[in-house]
Amino acid sequence: MNPILIDPNNHAPDVSPDDGWDDAEGFGAEDRVTGTVLPPRRPLTERAAAAPGEPAGAGLRIESNVARRDADDESPGLQVQEISGSVIRLEQSSEGPPKVARQLVFHERAPSGKKSAGEGRDWGLAHRFSTRWIVLIGTGVTSVIILSMIMLPNINKANAARPTATDRDLKVIDMEKVDGMDAVNAMLTMQHDAEQIYRIYVSSTVADEVLPWLVDAEASEDEFRKSWSPSQLATGWSPPPDTLWQVMKSRDKPYGLLEGTLPDFSKFSACFVTQNQKLLLDWKATVAYGTATFEELSQKKGNPSEIRGLLSEANFYTTTWPEEEYQSYQLLAPVGELSVWCYARRTEAVGGACADLLRTGEILNEAKGSKKITVRLGHGPAGALPNQWSIDEVIHADWLTR
């Protein structure tokens, strides 16, 4: 044996000739080992003779010697032990009553004097009524209707409201005719004329073609020639179909407002009035004409005799313009963001006119906004800033030509 595998602390005893550890003949049949067993022990004579080339006493030789079981050998196998073959069944101590078959008994219905509908042989078939009954029913219904109509005035007379002493004092007054409505109604039908006049105004190349269609052309000819310049629109242009035409009133004077879009998608608004029953263009209101520009007014320059702008209340006061004497306003340019400060004396008529123009409803508490106005400005007292002006006159509570 390999001395490396020898445990020095566990010495196995030496094998003696009387050892029977590999002798299976002494065991009983019940202790017989089945399956693979060790080979039988060789006699000492065989063990003494060593195989050729093998040193004597070299150790054990283990060979394949499997003991096979014969067919006559009996194997104990599995032992089956039956505990009990009886089953306990739960049964009734006494039998129940026998089942009785159901018996049907026919009971004939007792005869009655009233015939039930839908139980006869003709159930579901149409029945024809007698012509006499149809005529009688129709005559009866007609008579009831006629009698009700005859009695209706007598019934309503009893329930009618009786006039009181207060009702006898009431009188019917014809609706008063509103002044100026005829002119408004006539102007509502003039949209086509307004579109043609505006087309001439924007497509003409000389001022002489436009002057016949302007309000007060003779009085404002010089001003118009100085401020007017031909536009770049094509000669054949006309307002689009979606152009809006509105008729309004200002100081009991109707005027029309034509609003639409130009070919460059910019908005336009033109003002028209009637003069001698003829529709004319108010070019000053259309272009918000002023005798001075707001650039000039901000530097206290120019002619402030006729200025159009958007007026709104302000709270800018100085020692030159004290709040006790003046009401502060802001006058904004019709186009752009330039504005100037304007002041109106509270005790003068011009102050009341400006206050009435911007007065809002007391019940609805409307938000204060800006209003169109045409005013004549003044330079004011000494010490005023360049962009501060006094309102000397309210020419028009709108941009229309006076």
Side-chain angles (χ1 to χ4, degrees):
M1 296 180 66
N2 191 356
I4 299 175
L5 301 179
I6 297 174
D7 188 358
N9 298 323
N10 186 11
H11 299 282
D14 298 332
V15 179
S16 62
D18 297 332
D19 291 338
W21 60 274
D22 56 352
D23 189 2
E25 296 178 359
F27 296 97
E30 66 276 9
D31 297 331
R32 184 176 297 174
V33 180
T34 61
T36 303
V37 296
L38 294 174
R41 182 181 178 186
R42 292 184 298 172
L44 296 176
T45 57
E46 295 181 3
R47 283 184 289 176
E54 180 181 346
L60 297 176
R61 180 187 296 275
I62 299 177
E63 296 180 356
S64 176
N65 188 5
V66 180
R68 300 184 181 276
R69 186 183 301 166
D70 298 335
D72 296 337
D73 296 340
E74 295 182 0
S75 174
L78 298 177
Q79 297 182 0
V80 180
Q81 181 180 2
E82 184 178 358
I83 298 174
S84 176
S86 61
V87 179
I88 300 176
R89 299 180 181 275
L90 301 178
E91 297 180 356
Q92 296 181 356
S93 59
S94 60
E95 296 182 358
K99 296 183 179 180
V100 180
R102 182 180 180 183
Q103 297 180 359
L104 301 177
V105 180
F106 176 76
H107 298 278
E108 185 177 359
R109 182 177 179 180
S112 59
K114 183 178 179 181
K115 183 178 180 181
S116 301
E119 296 185 358
R121 294 182 178 179
D122 57 350
W123 180 82
L125 300 178
H127 296 275
R128 297 185 61 184
F129 295 92
S130 175
T131 306
R132 181 182 62 180
W133 283 104
I134 296 175
V135 173
L136 291 177
I137 292 173
T139 304
V141 172
T142 305
S143 302
V144 172
I145 295 174
I146 295 174
L147 183 61
S148 301
M149 297 297 293
I150 294 173
M151 296 179 63
L152 186 61
N154 297 329
I155 297 174
N156 293 337
K157 184 178 180 180
N159 298 329
R162 295 174 176 81
T164 60
T166 306
D167 297 337
R168 295 189 184 95
D169 297 337
L170 298 178
K171 296 181 180 180
V172 178
I173 300 176
D174 296 336
M175 183 180 297
E176 297 181 359
K177 186 177 181 180
V178 180
D179 297 336
M181 287 303 300
D182 294 339
V184 173
N185 295 332
M187 188 174 287
L188 287 172
T189 61
M190 297 181 179
Q191 180 176 359
H192 179 71
D193 297 339
E195 293 179 355
Q196 295 302 320
I197 294 173
Y198 187 74
R199 182 185 62 81
I200 296 173
Y201 173 76
V202 297
S203 61
S204 298
T205 57
V206 292
D208 294 337
E209 297 179 357
V210 184
L211 284 173
W213 305 102
L214 303 182
V215 177
D216 297 334
E218 295 180 359
S220 61
E221 180 178 355
D222 296 338
E223 297 175 346
F224 175 73
R225 290 182 181 274
K226 292 179 182 179
S227 62
W228 181 82
S229 61
S231 62
Q232 302 298 327
L233 294 180
T235 306
W237 178 85
S238 60
D242 58 347
T243 302
L244 182 62
W245 173 249
Q246 303 179 71
V247 179
M248 292 168 284
K249 293 181 66 177
S250 177
R251 290 187 180 180
D252 298 331
K253 184 179 180 180
Y255 68 95
L257 197 63
L258 186 70
E259 296 178 339
T261 307
L262 295 174
D264 59 352
F265 301 102
S266 61
K267 302 291 184 179
F268 73 85
S269 178
C271 185
F272 295 84
V273 295
T274 56
Q275 190 174 20
N276 298 328
Q277 297 181 353
K278 181 181 179 181
L279 188 68
L280 299 174
L281 176 67
D282 190 344
W283 70 274
K284 287 187 176 181
T286 300
V287 300
Y289 171 78
T291 55
T293 63
F294 274 76
E295 289 83 355
E296 296 174 342
L297 294 176
S298 62
Q299 300 174 8
K300 220 172 189 64
K301 298 178 181 180
N303 180 15
S305 60
E306 186 179 357
I307 303 299
R308 287 173 172 82
L310 300 174
L311 189 69
S312 60
E313 289 187 0
N315 294 316
F316 180 63
Y317 299 96
T318 62
T319 56
T320 307
W321 308 95
E323 186 176 1
E324 294 78 9
E325 299 180 14
Y326 296 92
Q327 172 61 49
S328 175
Y329 296 98
Q330 184 181 19
L331 187 63
L332 182 66
V335 179
E337 299 181 354
L338 292 178
S339 64
V340 294
W341 301 106
C342 300
Y343 298 88
R345 285 189 178 272
R346 299 180 184 271
T347 58
E348 295 181 356
V350 64
C354 294
D356 293 340
L357 178 63
L358 298 177
R359 182 176 290 114
T360 56
E362 297 179 358
I363 297 178
L364 297 179
N365 193 17
E366 299 175 356
K368 296 181 179 180
S370 58
K371 298 291 185 180
K372 292 181 178 181
I373 194 172
T374 305
V375 295
R376 181 172 61 86
L377 301 179
H379 292 284
L385 298 176
N387 61 344
Q388 290 180 330
W389 297 80
S390 65
I391 301 177
D392 294 346
E393 181 186 359
V394 176
I395 300 176
H396 205 291
D398 212 308
W399 289 353
L400 297 177
T401 302
R402 183 169 52 176

